[in-house]
Amino acid sequence: MTTTRPAATVPPGAPSTGTPGRHRGPQGTSWQQRRYRWDVKGTPYLYIAPFFILFAVFGLFPLGYTAWVSLHDWSLLSDEQTFVGLANYRELLTDAYFWNALRNTISILILGTVPQLFFALIIAHLLTMRLRGQTFFRLGMLLPNVASVVAVAVIFSQLFGRDFGLINWVLESIGVGRIDWQAGTASSHIAIAVMIAWKWTGYNALIYLAAMQAVPRDLYESATLDGASWWRQLTSITIPMIRPTIIFTVIISTIYGLQIFAEPQLFAGGGQDTITGGSSRQFQTLTLYLYEHGFNRGFQFGYASATAWVMFGIIVVVAAANYLLVRRIRSSA
């Protein structure tokens, strides 16, 4: 009885170990082996190279070039760009309007982000329950995010109008009285924060909902049998199980909140107030401040670039502090 040995499997592109009837010299075999090793080691880098090339061209180069411009007295209206070192940064940090813009940005960030993530968490938790038309409600959560930022800002600007806005009509109907939302600092911040929360609450709710799908249903069933309410299940089961997702949304929302531009610009209505964030700069954010110096004050690109780099540093510091704070809460829980 004779047995047939199975043929050895050779990876595609691998050098042949020898074929009967064909002779390969030592140089040809060595070349094929080197080409096979280069293929195995180099191909993964070729696959990911397009991303890093595009990131270097459109991400790192503008970042470095902006840093270089920030060290010059650089204006598009002048042919000379004088090197001034850190003078733009010193002037920026002594400008009262810069600190006003920073306070406005942080205020709108807190008013818009905290309620947004809180309600997103509750909505996502409710959508995990057995509801009729569950798919309809889940799709409806994404509709505000599909709408254009400009459309959202224009519609809410009309809703918060002083004379003919729907919000003021409701307030007047219940005896509160009309509010000039654009004139006041706190009222304008609340109006802009409502725009941001309305647009992004559904989006974050869907992210939380996707994370909640991985939570074992046995935990909820056991909690229900023990008589735990939905709030108890949310705080004792859902939140601890999706903490990494919550950290992600907190960081992303913080970064976005520090860069808001369209909402305060369109909320002003028109004229010079669209750049200064109101007649007394009551809702001018950092991005509006940067835009004002970059395109509305003689194209001061050097000063605007310094503002951009300070904004970048603030975003990095706030995001890192946010991450460390949430991580500490997570470890202590």
Side-chain angles (χ1 to χ4, degrees):
M1 182 176 179
T2 60
T3 58
T4 303
R5 298 179 61 184
T9 303
V10 180
S16 174
T17 55
T19 304
R22 298 182 62 184
H23 174 70
R24 295 181 181 275
Q27 292 183 351
T29 303
S30 176
W31 163 248
Q32 287 188 347
Q33 289 175 345
R34 285 200 300 271
R35 192 180 65 175
Y36 175 71
R37 286 198 297 270
W38 291 342
D39 184 23
V40 172
K41 294 181 179 178
T43 301
Y45 294 103
L46 291 178
Y47 287 148
I48 63 175
F51 166 77
F52 287 100
I53 292 174
L54 292 175
F55 177 71
V57 173
F58 297 103
L60 291 181
F61 174 73
L63 204 63
Y65 191 69
T66 305
W68 174 252
V69 172
S70 69
L71 302 177
H72 293 73
D73 183 10
W74 194 302
S75 173
L76 287 184
L77 303 180
S78 173
D79 294 332
E80 296 183 0
Q81 290 86 32
T82 309
F83 182 81
V84 295
L86 299 177
N88 286 327
Y89 292 93
R90 286 194 293 269
E91 183 181 356
L92 175 68
L93 296 178
T94 56
D95 187 1
Y97 290 153
F98 166 75
W99 295 106
N100 173 70
L102 180 59
R103 284 193 297 271
N104 291 338
T105 303
I106 294 175
S107 173
I108 296 173
L109 166 69
I110 295 173
L111 291 173
T113 303
V114 175
Q116 171 196 149
L117 297 180
F118 176 74
F119 287 114
L121 198 58
I122 292 180
I123 291 172
H125 184 68
L126 293 176
L127 288 176
T128 59
M129 299 179 178
R130 294 179 179 177
L131 300 173
R132 288 187 177 181
Q134 195 178 57
T135 304
F136 171 78
F137 290 115
R138 291 182 178 183
L139 290 175
M141 290 296 100
L142 200 57
L143 288 180
N145 189 254
V146 175
S148 166
V149 177
V150 176
V152 172
V154 170
I155 291 173
F156 274 88
S157 297
Q158 297 298 319
L159 292 176
F160 283 103
R162 183 190 62 183
D163 298 324
F164 306 104
L166 180 63
I167 307 295
N168 272 345
W169 178 78
V170 173
L171 292 177
E172 193 173 33
S173 301
I174 61 177
V176 176
R178 293 179 177 272
I179 298 175
D180 191 351
W181 295 94
Q182 294 181 356
T185 301
S187 59
S188 61
H189 291 187
I190 291 173
I192 296 172
V194 170
M195 300 180 200
I196 299 171
W198 185 84
K199 182 170 178 57
W200 293 103
T201 298
Y203 174 80
N204 287 311
L206 288 181
I207 293 178
Y208 290 150
L209 183 62
M212 290 176 187
Q213 303 305 308
V215 179
R217 306 305 302 174
D218 298 345
L219 297 177
Y220 293 109
E221 294 173 359
S222 300
T224 303
L225 291 176
D226 291 340
S229 63
W230 73 271
W231 177 258
R232 179 71 174 176
Q233 294 180 21
L234 173 66
T235 56
S236 300
I237 299 176
T238 304
I239 292 179
M241 296 294 288
I242 65 168
R243 273 202 180 108
T245 305
I246 295 176
I247 294 174
F248 169 77
T249 55
V250 168
I251 294 175
I252 295 299
S253 300
T254 302
I255 293 174
Y256 175 79
L258 290 172
Q259 302 179 75
I260 53 172
F261 177 78
E263 291 88 347
Q265 186 196 30
L266 294 172
F267 181 65
Q272 184 64 21
D273 291 351
T274 59
I275 305 300
T276 59
S279 57
S280 57
R281 299 176 182 267
Q282 62 269 27
F283 52 90
Q284 185 185 43
T285 60
L286 283 176
T287 49
L288 284 178
Y289 179 82
L290 185 154
Y291 184 83
E292 178 187 6
H293 287 273
F295 298 97
N296 202 48
R297 282 193 177 187
F299 300 101
Q300 300 172 353
F301 277 19
Y303 191 84
S305 299
T307 308
W309 263 93
V310 171
M311 274 186 61
F312 177 72
I314 293 172
I315 291 173
V316 171
V317 170
V318 172
N322 217 334
Y323 172 76
L324 293 176
L325 177 63
V326 176
R327 186 180 178 185
R328 185 173 182 180
I329 295 174
R330 176 186 177 185
S331 60
S332 61

